[in-house]
Amino acid sequence: MRPTTTFVRTLTAAERQQLQAGLRSANAFTLRRCQIVLASAAGQSPALIARNLGCTPRSVRNAIHAFADTGLACLQEKSSRPAS
């Protein structure tokens, strides 16, 4: 079972720099993930982040868990094609 992670871990300077650069991304998925991770690192709750960004708290928690599992690799959208 996955631990209940409500906030992201402390960001390194390089991670913070890359996330802030992602705020200028033309890719909406990357932009949203960067916004979520940076807001969580600033101490905002998933419910508050969701309200501010117009998404669901579940989406915010999914992004936080993805960052905890894969780090900055979570900024790249994965294929939605089912595995065969």
Side-chain angles (χ1 to χ4, degrees), residues 5-11 36-42 63-65 67-68:
T5 306
T6 308
F7 299 99
V8 297
R9 59 177 166 70
T10 304
L11 301 174
I36 290 170
V37 173
L38 287 168
S40 180
I64 292 170
H65 289 300
F67 182 76

Side-chain angles (χ1 to χ4, degrees), residues 9-32:
R9 59 177 166 70
T10 304
L11 301 174
T12 66
E15 287 173 332
R16 186 173 299 279
Q17 183 179 19
Q18 192 164 357
L19 288 165
Q20 288 173 338
L23 294 176
R24 295 183 300 278
S25 175
N27 183 320
F29 181 86
T30 300
L31 170 65
R32 179 59 51 94

Side-chain angles (χ1 to χ4, degrees):
M1 187 167 141
R2 191 184 286 178
T4 57
T5 306
T6 308
F7 299 99
V8 297
R9 59 177 166 70
T10 304
L11 301 174
T12 66
E15 287 173 332
R16 186 173 299 279
Q17 183 179 19
Q18 192 164 357
L19 288 165
Q20 288 173 338
L23 294 176
R24 295 183 300 278
S25 175
N27 183 320
F29 181 86
T30 300
L31 170 65
R32 179 59 51 94
R33 284 280 173 108
C34 289
Q35 290 171 323
I36 290 170
V37 173
L38 287 168
S40 180
Q44 294 182 19
S45 70
L48 179 61
I49 296 168
R51 192 169 33 254
N52 289 339
L53 297 179
C55 62
T56 64
R58 180 76 253 165
S59 296
V60 173
R61 286 191 298 273
N62 286 344
I64 292 170
H65 289 300
F67 182 76
D69 292 343
T70 63
L72 293 175
C74 77
L75 302 179
Q76 301 303 316
E77 192 169 13
K78 309 237 181 336
S79 173
S80 60
R81 183 177 180 189
S84 40

